[in-house]
Amino acid sequence: GSETEKVKTTETSAGESESVKQSILMGLQRESNKEVPVRFLYDDRGSELYEEITKLEEYYPFQAEEDLLSEHADEIASHIPQGSILVELGCGTARKTARLLNAIVARHGRCRFAGIDISSSFVDEARCNLMLSVQGHLRVDLVAADNMEGLREIRAKYPDDSICVVWLGSSVSNYSEEEAVKFFQQALDAVKTRCRLFLCTDLWKNEEILRAAYHDKHGVTEAFIKNGMRNALGKIGYLVSADDEKSWIYEVEVNPQLKQVEMYLRFPEGLTISDRQINIRSGERVLMEISRKFTPKSIRHMTETAGFHLLSAWHNRTYGAQLLLDEF
Ligand code: AVI
């Protein structure tokens, strides 16, 4: 049977911290190239909308990852040393992880899993999903926290065990190369002892497919991006009206030079928030998110820069997975 344990639930504080506000102001007070940090896309509503996105016909990465994982689950499991703890970053509802865990249980007779997610309601759902879908001996810890905080907590709880960090959903896509490398290095720091990393990433492909995936016909991605702007502006004390939101135009650009999809909101009427020194000119647009698309070579370059080397890789034309080991 499965045993689960809740390590910690972090409550969001009522007053927004100065650093949260500063991170938003920094991007919006600029003269040009205005932007909003990506994490503001994921408040409760945003997380729900992202779940919706993963169910859209046009949003191929979700199914592509599922296909790749189910095709190679046994082989992937064979590369994960017996007894190590699988620690999943941003585990969400852990819908996909179950497949991997089942393959590990089948191979080793038991498996240890720790899931980290910022959303405590997702963490609760993950617990149910895993109990229902993983047969055999599974030990589960769930942490409702920021990824780095969660890693440190798991490490403190299990100081001597080997850890395999799992990062699915191509989530690294939403970081620039520099941010991603820094993120991996911080993760290594938090885990301290030798660690493996299982990383899944979307691959660069036909522009039409990319555009459709990020500009779906039901407008779910548009709602997700607008919600992110509403959330960010709310945090700096500007309450967005329904009319404001309606006036913004959602734009997607596929950038072949940088191999990334760029998601913007255009403000035909502009927006001035005088007490915050924000002046979005009429017709100006704000970058809300990038989604980088990789090649096997570019993933390798990024992870090697962060101090990992490649143990094994699986990919098809759509999607890729890498198992890496840090270079201690
Ligand atoms: C979470 N992340 C990998 C998604 C992506 O595809 O970049 C977020 C997303 N943004 C719009 N649609 C999906």
Side-chain angles (χ1 to χ4, degrees), residues 42 50 53 59 169-171 174 214 221 224 263 289 291 293:
Y42 298 94
Y50 177 61
I53 288 174
Y59 191 72
S170 199
S171 298
N174 304 122
Y214 291 90
T221 315
F224 171 69
M263 285 152 266
E289 190 185 25
S291 190
K293 303 298 163 186

Side-chain angles (χ1 to χ4, degrees), residues 134-149:
V134 180
Q135 268 84 50
H137 192 90
L138 174 72
R139 154 130 203 153
V140 176
D141 286 284
L142 289 163
V143 188
D146 156 79
N147 280 327
M148 287 310 153
E149 245 174 70

Side-chain angles (χ1 to χ4, degrees), residues 25 60 79 84-85 104 112 146 172 190 198 252 266 271 298 320:
L25 293 175
Y60 67 85
H79 283 75
S84 51
I85 309 174
I104 293 173
R112 299 163 72 192
D146 156 79
V172 68
F198 181 64
V252 173
R266 194 178 286 283
L271 178 70
S298 71

Side-chain angles (χ1 to χ4, degrees), residues 147-201:
N147 280 327
M148 287 310 153
E149 245 174 70
L151 276 178
R152 278 190 283 270
E153 224 167 283
I154 298 293
R155 176 42 90 206
K157 187 168 177 187
Y158 304 107
D160 303 318
D161 295 275
S162 87
I163 281 181
C164 178
V165 174
V166 176
W167 208 15
L168 305 181
S170 199
S171 298
V172 68
S173 291
N174 304 122
Y175 290 104
S176 69
E177 178 84 3
E178 219 187 337
E179 289 167 337
V181 168
K182 199 168 134 205
F183 182 91
F184 288 132
Q185 287 168 339
Q186 283 173 343
L188 277 178
D189 231 40
V191 174
K192 288 195 188 98
T193 53
R194 245 191 154 185
C195 105
R196 274 166 211 245
L197 171 65
F198 181 64
L199 183 68
C200 287
T201 44

Side-chain angles (χ1 to χ4, degrees), residues 48-319:
E48 277 169 25
L49 284 166
Y50 177 61
E51 277 280 299
E52 283 301 304
I53 288 174
T54 64
K55 294 172 190 154
L56 292 169
E57 200 186 315
E58 298 100 320
Y59 191 72
Y60 67 85
F62 189 84
Q63 192 57 46
E65 183 172 84
E66 182 124 298
D67 292 347
L68 196 73
L69 286 180
S70 35
E71 197 179 334
H72 301 289
D74 293 334
E75 211 195 320
I76 296 166
S78 78
H79 283 75
I80 294 173
Q82 183 158 17
S84 51
I85 309 174
L86 251 72
V87 182
E88 186 178 359
L89 305 179
C91 67
T93 58
R95 273 188 287 160
K96 270 187 222 157
T97 331
R99 194 170 299 278
L100 209 53
L101 300 180
N102 271 317
I104 293 173
V105 173
R107 178 167 283 271
H108 298 313
R110 54 177 56 228
C111 179
R112 299 163 72 192
F113 174 74
I116 304 168
D117 202 279
I118 194 83
S119 151
S120 51
S121 61
F122 276 0
V123 156
D124 291 335
E125 229 181 289
R127 189 190 320 278
C128 295
N129 277 348
L130 292 173
M131 302 251 273
L132 290 172
S133 51
V134 180
Q135 268 84 50
H137 192 90
L138 174 72
R139 154 130 203 153
V140 176
D141 286 284
L142 289 163
V143 188
D146 156 79
N147 280 327
M148 287 310 153
E149 245 174 70
L151 276 178
R152 278 190 283 270
E153 224 167 283
I154 298 293
R155 176 42 90 206
K157 187 168 177 187
Y158 304 107
D160 303 318
D161 295 275
S162 87
I163 281 181
C164 178
V165 174
V166 176
W167 208 15
L168 305 181
S170 199
S171 298
V172 68
S173 291
N174 304 122
Y175 290 104
S176 69
E177 178 84 3
E178 219 187 337
E179 289 167 337
V181 168
K182 199 168 134 205
F183 182 91
F184 288 132
Q185 287 168 339
Q186 283 173 343
L188 277 178
D189 231 40
V191 174
K192 288 195 188 98
T193 53
R194 245 191 154 185
C195 105
R196 274 166 211 245
L197 171 65
F198 181 64
L199 183 68
C200 287
T201 44
D202 194 15
L203 303 178
W204 175 252
K205 55 183 58 68
N206 175 292
E207 293 187 21
E208 285 321 302
I209 297 176
L210 290 174
R211 203 180 306 281
Y214 291 90
H215 212 159
D216 64 279
K217 56 178 182 288
H218 294 295
V220 184
T221 315
E222 174 174 346
F224 171 69
I225 295 293
K226 285 187 172 178
N227 178 71
M229 178 62 90
R230 196 189 43 69
N231 180 35
L233 292 177
K235 296 226 181 287
I236 54 168
Y238 179 87
L239 290 184
V240 170
S241 71
D243 283 342
D244 278 332
E245 237 182 85
K246 240 183 261 157
S247 73
W248 304 337
I249 299 168
Y250 175 54
E251 290 179 5
V252 173
E253 234 167 82
V254 177
N255 183 331
Q257 275 79 43
L258 295 175
K259 290 207 166 57
Q260 65 188 25
V261 180
E262 297 164 359
M263 285 152 266
Y264 297 91
L265 282 181
R266 194 178 286 283
F267 286 70
E269 295 158 19
L271 178 70
T272 302
I273 310 174
S274 319
D275 60 344
R276 295 288 186 194
Q277 288 93 46
I278 290 175
N279 179 28
I280 302 173
R281 291 178 299 277
S282 85
E284 195 177 352
R285 67 183 189 176
V286 176
L287 178 65
M288 296 299 293
E289 190 185 25
I290 57 166
S291 190
R292 294 165 67 214
K293 303 298 163 186
F294 298 88
T295 61
K297 203 172 147 196
S298 71
I299 302 167
R300 188 159 185 174
H301 181 264
M302 172 176 72
T303 50
E304 278 177 359
T305 310
F308 286 96
H309 74 256
L310 188 66
L311 289 178
S312 233
W314 300 265
H315 44 82
N316 52 37
R317 287 165 61 92
T318 313
Y319 210 82

